[in-house]
Amino acid sequence: QVQLVESGGGLVQAGGSLRLSCAASGNIFYIYTMGWYRQAPGKQRELAATITRGGTNYADSVKGRFTISRDNVKNTVYLQMNSLKPEDTAVYYCKVVLQTTLVGGVEDYWGQGTQVTVSS
């Protein structure tokens, strides 16, 4: 089994910063992708940023403001969020794509989400 523990959400004024973290633990053979998705009230969940061994990917709406990084020893992904806007208000979910064993298939795991609220 795999567990994802998210932290770092909170309330911040526009222009402020937050740093989210997500630590994966348990039966992990190899992690392909780690990322952050967000869902605002009444809206669909959308990608914010992802990171693989080969690079990073950002939504246009966060590019230049958010930075995703990864610690492969600790199996932890971070999202540094700067210059936050009210439009960034959402529940942020951590996602990992991994194998638990060499012969197993690729599986997706989701964190429980952490609330980020940006006031104007």
Side-chain angles (χ1 to χ4, degrees), residues 84-110:
L84 282 163
K85 304 175 180 179
E87 308 93 270
D88 297 318
T89 296
V91 177
Y92 284 70
Y93 296 92
C94 176
K95 178 185 176 182
V96 299
V97 181
L98 55 77
Q99 287 177 268
T100 57
T101 66
L102 173 64
V103 298
V106 178
E107 303 175 1
D108 294 350
Y109 287 86
W110 289 88

Side-chain angles (χ1 to χ4, degrees), residues 41-116:
K43 296 185 178 180
Q44 297 295 119
R45 190 172 300 184
E46 65 176 5
L47 181 148
T50 60
I51 184 167
T52 68
R53 299 295 180 104
T56 57
N57 183 43
Y58 296 94
D60 288 340
S61 58
V62 309
K63 193 172 298 183
R65 300 186 298 118
F66 291 9
T67 302
I68 189 169
S69 60
R70 176 177 178 177
D71 185 330
N72 293 319
V73 175
K74 298 180 179 180
N75 288 330
T76 299
V77 63
Y78 305 92
L79 187 66
Q80 179 66 47
M81 304 184 293
N82 298 325
S83 301
L84 282 163
K85 304 175 180 179
E87 308 93 270
D88 297 318
T89 296
V91 177
Y92 284 70
Y93 296 92
C94 176
K95 178 185 176 182
V96 299
V97 181
L98 55 77
Q99 287 177 268
T100 57
T101 66
L102 173 64
V103 298
V106 178
E107 303 175 1
D108 294 350
Y109 287 86
W110 289 88
Q112 290 298 118
T114 184
Q115 177 69 50
V116 171

